[in-house]
Amino acid sequence: MTRRQSIASGAAISLSALSYANLARAAVGTPRPRIGFIGCGGRSKNLLKGFAENATVTWACDPDQQHAVAFQKQSGATRVTHDLRRLLDDRSIDAVVVATPDHWHAPAAIMACDAGKHVYVEKPCSHNFREGQLLVQAARRNNVIVQHGTQSRTNPLVINAINLLRDGVIGEVLVCKAWNIQRRRNIGHAKPSAPPNHVDYDTWVGPAEYVPFQSNRFHYDWHWWHNFGTGDIGNDGTHEIDIARWGLGVQGLPTTASAIGGKFYFDDDQQFPDTATCVFQWSGDGKPNANKQLIFEMRIWSKNLPHNCDTGVEFYGTKGMLFVSKRGKLAIWDESNQPVAVPTPKESSTQPKNHQLDFLQAITENREPAADIAIGHDSCSLVHLANISVTTGRSLRIDPTGQSIQDDPEADAMLTRKYRSGGHWAVPNA
């Protein structure tokens, strides 16, 4: 095993052989892998369902004491804390689940990697592009498994759709269009106030720029604030962008990214757009069929849904079109726009029954998980580029090799973020 750094003392230690032994034995019996949850809000409840049958939850960590205690009762965790460092100091913990607000995803996951823990991190894996780079690096240098919470990577229907695209069912796929269309709620207007007594607000803000507590930028509503979230492009949009990029067959950064949008509907404090159209293009080698284009549409005030699905992706090929939605729909049309019967999969899926089990099995089998963090980072990079383009109002020219935005210093500087003045123990090292 590689040697890892203890965050408690800075001393180099080897990840306990017992840790791996526990995971190996979990495949056939007890004892089961021991995991800790960092973030015990709404998302943690859904994730717990996937982990409960195959792992033992021993820690509940959340700066909101009410959330932590409620999750402890639901999960059976024996220990509760508001400080994730206490959890990471526990050498008996095999893995952690990071289900915090976006601004904590990468900092917490990086610290967990450096503590020798395997990590399941919710989407988007980073609040900004640079954090995603650092998280991939942390996973690799510590030789740990990091699964990204884009669950379509283990969805049999979506996997079948991707396999059909690879088999050429609609020819060469050149363009795809994904969407996230739904009616969100108005978060209203509010002013700073004192945080609830049961909340350690300083820890909740963590490495982000410190701003006073405000009721409509706290639980869930933090999604719509630049300091804490990534908007709905990063929230629900990450799932569809990931499927679209997967089916299009592209890797790494595009050469151009352009997004327009704004607040067309809501009159409230949200900082991110409620409407956006984003286009990404990968330049090929100049030969036919080499260029690839991905379009993403977001309208979070509408109820008129393509194919009657709030989320989905259409792939356009040289011989037809394929539509797939994680809502359970898959359809194909030929180049004359006539429906085509969906072929039966050549072989039955051997995927684990859920994304969480795939993560645990990846650890015991010493393999990459279905949504390895490098895959997650590539998809989340498109989210960050779209948000930068919308914010600046400019199209971006990108150097995929140098991992930078060209001829636009302001936009290039937005690949990272400003952290808390005076520093914070969770700020990732650049």
Side-chain angles (χ1 to χ4, degrees), residues 12-323:
I13 61 169
S14 292
L15 181 62
S16 168
L18 178 60
S19 175
Y20 274 87
N22 284 347
L23 288 163
R25 286 195 298 272
V28 295
T30 58
R32 307 195 303 174
R34 294 163 58 89
I35 63 175
F37 270 72
I38 301 173
C40 300
R43 185 64 192 140
S44 67
K45 311 301 190 300
N46 291 323
L47 293 173
L48 180 60
K49 296 175 184 178
F51 281 111
E53 294 182 4
N54 303 285
T56 299
V57 178
T58 58
W59 280 90
C61 174
D62 198 295
D64 184 327
Q65 186 179 20
Q66 290 183 355
H67 277 189
V69 170
F71 184 77
Q72 180 190 28
K73 292 179 180 178
Q74 182 180 6
S75 66
T78 55
R79 308 192 70 176
V80 175
T81 184
H82 70 283
D83 188 337
L84 63 89
R85 291 173 293 183
R86 291 188 59 203
L87 185 161
L88 297 181
D89 281 341
D90 185 347
R91 297 189 184 185
S92 72
I93 294 295
D94 302 298
V96 301
V97 178
V98 179
T100 62
D102 291 357
H103 71 287
W104 261 114
H105 283 180
I110 290 169
M111 291 180 66
C113 289
D114 287 339
K117 315 299 185 187
H118 304 287
V119 182
Y120 183 108
V121 59
E122 260 305 311
K123 54 75 196 166
C125 61
S126 55
H127 179 267
N128 59 81
F129 177 77
R130 180 57 179 155
E131 285 183 351
Q133 289 181 310
L134 294 174
L135 178 50
V136 173
Q137 293 170 13
R140 300 302 185 248
R141 72 170 173 265
N142 291 290
N143 194 30
V144 293
I145 303 297
V146 180
Q147 173 87 300
H148 189 232
T150 37
Q151 294 87 0
S152 292
R153 294 277 172 165
T154 49
N155 182 321
L157 179 79
V158 178
I159 293 172
N160 183 34
I162 301 301
N163 288 338
L164 289 172
L165 293 175
R166 298 292 183 266
D167 289 342
V169 69
I170 59 170
E172 184 72 23
V173 180
L174 303 181
V175 176
C176 65
K177 181 174 72 175
W179 61 88
N180 166 33
I181 300 173
Q182 59 184 302
R183 176 70 61 84
R184 289 288 187 184
R185 74 176 186 88
N186 188 308
I187 69 169
H189 300 281
K191 294 182 179 180
S193 61
N197 291 332
H198 58 271
V199 173
D200 178 354
Y201 182 67
D202 185 78
T203 295
W204 188 89
V205 174
E209 290 184 274
Y210 190 87
V211 295
F213 175 85
Q214 190 166 302
S215 60
N216 67 351
R217 63 182 174 213
F218 193 46
H219 289 330
Y220 201 82
D221 291 337
W222 53 261
H223 279 101
W224 324 126
W225 296 83
H226 292 155
N227 200 42
F228 304 120
T230 52
D232 227 9
I233 299 176
N235 183 31
D236 279 352
T238 297
H239 289 294
E240 273 41 68
I241 288 173
D242 182 63
I243 296 171
R245 194 183 64 80
W246 188 12
L248 196 59
V250 292
Q251 295 181 335
L253 295 179
T255 50
T256 59
S258 183
I260 57 174
K263 288 183 67 174
F264 289 16
Y265 181 82
F266 287 110
D267 177 15
D268 60 10
D269 287 336
Q270 293 183 62
Q271 294 179 327
F272 283 98
D274 58 28
T275 306
T277 301
C278 316
V279 182
F280 311 91
Q281 189 157 304
W282 288 258
S283 296
D285 55 10
K287 297 179 181 179
N289 301 340
N291 292 334
K292 304 282 185 173
Q293 187 179 92
L294 189 159
I295 304 162
F296 173 72
E297 297 179 356
M298 181 190 74
R299 295 183 293 279
I300 56 173
W301 47 266
S302 177
K303 294 183 179 180
N304 296 101
L305 314 176
H307 302 282
N308 200 30
C309 285
D310 58 338
T311 60
V313 187
E314 290 178 340
F315 293 96
Y316 308 109
T318 55
K319 296 181 180 179
M321 183 181 83
L322 181 148
F323 157 66

